[in-house]
Amino acid sequence: MTNKNLAIRTVIFSMLGNVALATIKFLAGIFGNSYALIADGIESVVDVFASILVLVGLRYANRPADENHPYGHGKAEPLITFLVVAFLIVSAATIAYQAIQHIRIPHKLPESFTLWVLAAIIIWKESSYQIVIRRSKKINSDSLKAEAWHHRSDAITSIAAFIGISIALYFGEGYEVADDYAALVAVVFIVYNCYKIFRPALSEVMDENNHEDLIEKIRTIAIEVKGVKGTEKCYIRKAGMDYHVDLHALVEGNLTVKEGHRISHLLKDKLQKEIPEIGHLLIHIEPF
C-alpha cells in the first residue's frame, strides 16, 4: 500500500469513528444531563469536518509535480493543518462559552451511566491515537499527526468529563457544576494541543532546516558512493510527506565535468533508493 493510500484510509477510519462517537456523546449527554459529554460531542463534530479537510488536503498534496509546481503540491498539507487548528480553536471557544453559561443555570446531576460511556470513549480514542500517530510517523505526515492529536485531545476531554461527573455524583447536590468545570479544563488541553499541531506545520511552511538526523543519514550514505570524498552544505525542506534536499558533494578537483556529472547521478540514485521519502534532490559538485 502506498503512503498516500495509507494516509487516506487512516483519515477515513478517523472520520467514521468520530461520526459514531459524536452521536453517542450527544445522546448520552442529553439523556444523562451532562454538558461535559455534550461539549465532547461538539468537539467530535468539529473533528469530522477537520477530517474531511485533511482528506481533501492529502489528496491535493499528493498530486505529482507539474509545470507550475515543480516541487509538487506537498505544501498544501501544512496549510490544511492550519485550517484544522482553526477548527479546534473555534470548538474550544464554543465549549468554553457554553460551559460558562451552563454554570450560571441550575441543572440536575448527571446520570451515573455516563461514566460507563465515557470510559469506553476514552479507551477507543486513546487506541485511535496510537494507531494514527504510528502511521503518521511511518509516512511522515503532519496532517496525520494533527489527526492523531485530535484523538488524543478527545481522550483528554473525555477524561476531564469523567472526573467532573464523578465528583458531581460522589458529592451530590451542590456539585452539579463540576461537570461544567470539567468542560473548561478540557478547553485548556484542546488549546495546548492546537499549539503542538500548529508548530510543526509552521516550521514546514517556513522551510526550517531542523532535520539533523536525516542530514546525518544523507552524509553517511553519500560517502559510500565511489568518487565522493565527502559532503559540505546540506539543506532540507519538508513538503507534505517528502523532503527536498540541496547537497554539496566533494569530489577530486581534477575530474572532468562528465565524470563529476556521472558521480552526482550515482549519488542521487543511491540516496533516493535508500531514503524513499526524498523528493527533489539537487546535488552540487565541488572540488575536494
Side-chain angles (χ1 to χ4, degrees):
M1 186 185 299
T2 64
N3 286 350
K4 176 184 175 182
N5 290 337
L6 180 60
I8 289 172
R9 288 184 63 172
T10 302
V11 174
I12 292 174
F13 158 79
S14 294
M15 191 161 50
L16 294 176
N18 284 329
V19 169
L21 286 178
T23 304
I24 293 170
K25 289 174 183 178
F26 276 123
L27 291 174
I30 292 168
F31 291 105
N33 300 318
S34 170
Y35 180 69
L37 257 177
I38 295 174
D40 222 355
I42 292 172
E43 189 192 358
S44 290
V45 171
V46 173
D47 284 349
V48 172
F49 287 105
S51 294
I52 293 172
L53 277 176
V54 171
L55 188 60
V56 172
L58 284 171
R59 287 185 180 277
Y60 184 83
N62 284 284
R63 286 182 179 181
D66 55 35
E67 187 176 347
N68 292 328
H69 305 88
Y71 291 93
H73 299 77
K75 289 294 185 182
E77 199 176 333
L79 297 180
I80 291 296
T81 302
F82 292 155
L83 288 177
V84 171
V85 169
F87 263 88
L88 276 175
I89 290 174
V90 169
S91 69
T94 302
I95 291 169
Y97 174 77
Q98 293 294 340
I100 292 170
Q101 292 294 100
H102 215 239
I103 287 171
R104 298 162 63 183
I105 302 171
H107 54 85
K108 298 179 182 178
L109 283 168
E111 298 290 339
S112 58
F113 75 82
T114 55
L115 291 176
W116 293 102
V117 174
L118 281 166
I121 289 171
I122 292 166
I123 293 170
W124 169 255
K125 295 305 287 186
E126 181 60 24
S127 300
S128 297
Y129 166 79
Q130 296 297 336
I131 292 169
V132 178
I133 198 68
R134 279 199 300 269
R135 292 182 181 180
S136 74
K137 291 176 180 177
K138 180 179 180 181
I139 65 178
N140 196 36
S141 170
D142 282 340
S143 289
L144 274 192
K145 193 175 294 182
E147 189 71 18
W149 275 102
H150 278 157
H151 292 298
R152 171 57 66 81
S153 66
D154 215 356
I156 290 170
T157 56
S158 295
I159 290 171
F162 186 94
I163 294 171
I165 292 172
S166 297
I167 291 171
L169 290 173
Y170 182 79
F171 290 100
E173 189 175 345
Y175 285 85
E176 298 89 348
V177 292
D179 176 44
D180 305 303
Y181 281 111
L184 291 177
V185 171
V187 166
V188 176
F189 283 105
I190 292 171
V191 172
Y192 173 69
N193 286 331
C194 283
Y195 171 76
K196 294 196 72 170
I197 296 168
F198 175 81
R199 187 61 187 86
L202 180 64
S203 172
E204 183 173 332
V205 169
M206 296 299 293
D207 288 333
E208 290 185 12
N209 189 38
N210 54 1
H211 311 286
E212 289 80 10
D213 291 343
L214 183 57
I215 289 173
E216 187 60 34
K217 187 176 181 180
I218 288 171
R219 294 191 191 281
T220 301
I221 294 172
I223 60 175
E224 295 174 359
V225 176
K226 186 176 180 181
V228 176
K229 300 297 182 181
T231 56
E232 206 173 52
K233 295 175 183 176
C234 183
Y235 298 141
I236 298 177
R237 292 170 291 150
K238 188 173 182 296
M241 300 180 195
D242 295 329
Y243 292 98
H244 301 316
V245 181
D246 296 334
L247 177 66
H248 287 208
L250 303 174
V251 301
E252 289 293 346
N254 59 355
L255 294 180
T256 63
V257 172
K258 185 176 181 180
E259 181 62 16
H261 182 71
R262 185 188 70 83
I263 292 172
S264 71
H265 272 283
L266 289 175
L267 175 56
K268 182 176 182 178
D269 292 342
K270 185 174 180 63
L271 285 172
Q272 290 185 320
K273 180 181 178 181
E274 298 199 19
I275 311 176
E277 56 267 31
I278 290 180
H280 185 82
L281 175 57
L282 176 64
I283 297 175
H284 175 72
I285 295 295
E286 291 200 15
F288 178 63

